[in-house]
Amino acid sequence: MSNLIQEFQEYSDWRTAVANALTRYQTWIVGANLEDSVSDQRIARALQRLADDKLSIAFIAEFSRGKSELINAIFFAAYGQRILPSSAGRTTMCPTELLYDASFPSCIRLLPIETRADMQATSDYKAAPPHVWTVLPLDISSVDGMLEAFKQVSLTKWVSVEEATLYGLYDECDPDTVLARDAQGRVQISQWRHAIVNFPHPLLKQGLVIIDTPGLNAIGTEPELTLNLIPNAHAVLFVLAADTGVTKSDIDIWRHHIGNGAGRMVVLNKIDSMWDALRSEEEIERQIAEQVATVARTLGVLPAQVYPVSAQKGLVGKINVEPALLEKSRLPALENALVQGLIPAKRDIVCAQLIADINPLMLTKQANLAARMRNTLDQLQELKSLRGKNKKIISYMIKRVDIEKKEFNQSLLKLQGTRTVFARLSFGVFETLGMGMLKEEIRLTRMAMETSKFTVGFRSAVKNFFDQAQANLTDSGKKTDEIAEMMSVMYRKFSTEHGLALTTPMPFSLDKYREEISLIEAAYRRQFGAITLLRTGQAVLMERFFDAIASRVRMSFLQANRDVDAWLKVVMAPLEEQCRVHKLQLKQRLEAIERVHEAVGSLEEKIASMEHLYAALEAQKDMLNIHEEALIAALGPKLALLRVAA
């Protein structure tokens, strides 16, 4: 556990160091008068990315696999007893997120199961008013009090079959969802739909999010798990039990909801069931190895991806400080694999995202400062060339600068026409990306699903929804591409004709949102691709999944709208800023030559002033390099390599 905490602490310290270096860099460029709206947006986005960075680990298993015990053993042994309820049978009844949010007090927020009757996804309720949730205070000073509060997550209730069906939790034709009935014909369901546990555990405070999931039934019926929490988890620990092996339901979970990919680990728990005083250590090791090989073969993974452990013995070994028992539980090996496979990969991802913001920022600042130095040097050389010149030659130079100024003003008039086209195209982007249009498409899809009585009708309605969403993103993407191409032409024109220090415009693409929609559709197809006969329970489930789909697509479109809006505000900013600076410099050049023309004696003063300014700019360049190197050092050597590659 100490290694796990240390690695997370180092990762947290790294994020803090990068944020501090970036803040110092921003403060300096503001003081050097090198800031602009594009830079502000890039830095703000990078700082927000670091502040919001979370690292989520999802634990998935059928009931009675020891999943809650494993979470206790890995994360909560320091409390000296179990924090999550762990006993025979099912203890995790609803998806539970353990995290820390400083804006909330330590508490457990519970979403009532009745919300499943509404057409809203769990993620929609996370932004709902507090009264929607049942909030239980969490006394972190009392371990017993915390344990008692956690038990509330496992509460169940008895409801009628009709009510359970309304919530999508019961389908009499589906053996996977049929629940046992009591004497009154009622069925037992979870009292809660979702739980969020907020408390200041050291790892949670550093951005770790632990996702504790119920078994197959809940995974199959709660869209939030299938469409959001599990796919977005940075690591997924699939927990099996050595005493049961790989069951059919285990295989279903693995194939339909997890799959063999990055950050996916298989944990073979309860290996202590194989410990037998009548067998030798070699026999026990051989039996465990055979079980690992069987699991790996069944799930289609390498044996090295299967980690045999005893969570219960590992927890006992930690609490009682029994190193030998802890080592025998093999829990440290799993923790080390988790740390080595999770944190470096996450850091690489964050680095790659930061380079997309920071590298263009650095290049722009270097280009802007180089342009200032070049223009100052041009003015200096121009003034030096006036030494010993008569007024006739100086008058000629005034006319030459004046002609250059008029030509630049003509280009500015053409730029005004570009702004008009820019505004028209910008409006067109939101015609197909607007939230109003998406809301109407969601409404029409729901209507089509409600009026359809057959599977093909459901599938057709949802397919049309995805097709239209993709088409809208494609149309908007074409318009942003047109804007980008138009701005590229203008950038090249002003760079070539007037020597402005302009690189290519800030790139933009909606591809990631098209990919996200494709992933959502793929998850939906995995869930319902095999359905050939529509039953009442399945109809309710499909409609509920569409509600979650609509919520996810709505969030994607909302973020796409924000990104497009932010891009449109800054894509022209570098050109306008360079035009403003160039226009000012032309004015200053003309005024300087005119003053020399009127009073030749002031020429040496002007030259001295320009030399002083150029020396100051050289000092600024040195400081800019120092701050950039400090930022690169904070990010680490991998960013330096990425920067060179870029």
Side-chain angles (χ1 to χ4, degrees), residues 321-338:
V321 193
E322 298 181 34
L325 181 60
L326 178 59
E327 189 65 26
K328 188 176 181 181
S329 74
R330 304 197 188 190
L331 190 64
L334 172 62
E335 291 176 346
N336 289 335
L338 189 61

Side-chain angles (χ1 to χ4, degrees), residues 253-273:
I253 294 177
W254 178 261
R255 291 178 177 173
H256 296 115
H257 302 291
I258 303 176
N260 188 13
R264 273 48 182 164
M265 303 166 67
V266 180
V267 179
L268 182 62
N269 193 21
K270 301 186 179 183
I271 60 170
D272 54 293
S273 65

